[in-house]
Amino acid sequence: MNESPASQLTASPRLFKNDLLDKLSRVDPRLPLIVYGPIVLALIVWAAWHGTPAWIIAGCFVLGYAIWTLTEYLGHRFLFHTVFPGKIGARFHFLLHGVHHDHPNDPLRLVMPLLMSGPIMAIAVLVTWTIFPQVMQVPALAGFIAGYVAYDTVHYLLHHSRSQYSTFLWLKRLHMLHHFTDHSRCFGVAAPWWDYVFRTEWRKPSRS
């Protein structure tokens, strides 16, 4: 019996033969907030406790958040949507992002598994500690991690929330256009302004 379109969109197919790996590929959408929320708070408290001025904490937090939004856009556009050659490349792309486009409403595959987000945060620590002065490092990292939590949370809500808030509906429309109309546009899930900067914003197809 063929699946209905709705059940196909919400299906949660098995990705790995290994039971543990397959279980790890499914993530409770609250996990990013549970794991990384306390880390963000601890970093802000640490910076304040060590005498970092409030204006530096706030400014660097916003800077870190902005860096995340650019990372989100570039990663979605140039990594998630690159199909690498060969069977291994195709498999990698499917595991990384293709499964989400095939089954976009799978509730347990809408946020990154810790096996993916953990290395991203480790790289963020390394880069932050390399390029920023010491006084900026901790609050900038807090902003970057908070940006990631916001992205994963917004992404889940765009697929499953029924909110009628105007900004939410605008973001949802753009994301659904990316999913179901044109995969080459609207890469900014929680940060759509980068699409306008890089000219990948939604445009109605021209009539020939």
Side-chain angles (χ1 to χ4, degrees), residues 85-120:
K87 291 183 178 180
I88 294 177
R91 174 65 173 169
F92 175 75
H93 172 262
F94 180 76
L95 293 176
L96 185 67
H97 196 58
V99 64
H100 175 56
H101 272 268
D102 286 353
H103 309 284
N105 291 335
D106 179 351
L108 297 180
R109 291 202 174 106
L110 282 168
V111 304
M112 290 188 196
L114 290 179
L115 291 176
M116 284 182 62
S117 64
I120 292 173

Side-chain angles (χ1 to χ4, degrees), residues 69-99:
T69 64
L70 181 58
T71 302
E72 171 200 328
Y73 173 87
L74 294 176
H76 189 187
R77 180 179 178 182
F78 294 110
L79 178 60
F80 288 5
H81 279 271
T82 296
V83 180
F84 299 93
K87 291 183 178 180
I88 294 177
R91 174 65 173 169
F92 175 75
H93 172 262
F94 180 76
L95 293 176
L96 185 67
H97 196 58
V99 64

Side-chain angles (χ1 to χ4, degrees), residues 55-171:
W55 69 271
I56 291 181
I57 293 176
C60 292
F61 185 92
V62 172
L63 176 61
Y65 169 78
I67 292 172
W68 164 261
T69 64
L70 181 58
T71 302
E72 171 200 328
Y73 173 87
L74 294 176
H76 189 187
R77 180 179 178 182
F78 294 110
L79 178 60
F80 288 5
H81 279 271
T82 296
V83 180
F84 299 93
K87 291 183 178 180
I88 294 177
R91 174 65 173 169
F92 175 75
H93 172 262
F94 180 76
L95 293 176
L96 185 67
H97 196 58
V99 64
H100 175 56
H101 272 268
D102 286 353
H103 309 284
N105 291 335
D106 179 351
L108 297 180
R109 291 202 174 106
L110 282 168
V111 304
M112 290 188 196
L114 290 179
L115 291 176
M116 284 182 62
S117 64
I120 292 173
M121 298 309 154
I123 294 171
V125 172
L126 178 62
V127 172
T128 302
W129 260 242
T130 300
I131 67 174
F132 288 131
Q134 185 174 1
V135 70
M136 297 175 65
Q137 291 169 355
V138 171
L141 182 63
F144 183 90
I145 297 174
Y148 159 68
V149 173
Y151 155 76
D152 253 354
T153 303
V154 168
H155 188 212
Y156 175 82
L157 292 175
L158 291 179
H159 284 275
H160 287 283
S161 173
R162 296 184 179 180
S163 170
Q164 296 300 302
Y165 186 60
S166 58
T167 300
F168 174 83
L169 292 176
W170 174 60
L171 290 174

Side-chain angles (χ1 to χ4, degrees), residues 26-37 111-114 148:
R26 294 182 171 91
V27 184
D28 187 300
R30 296 167 293 186
L31 190 65
L33 183 60
I34 292 170
V35 172
Y36 293 112
V111 304
M112 290 188 196
L114 290 179
Y148 159 68

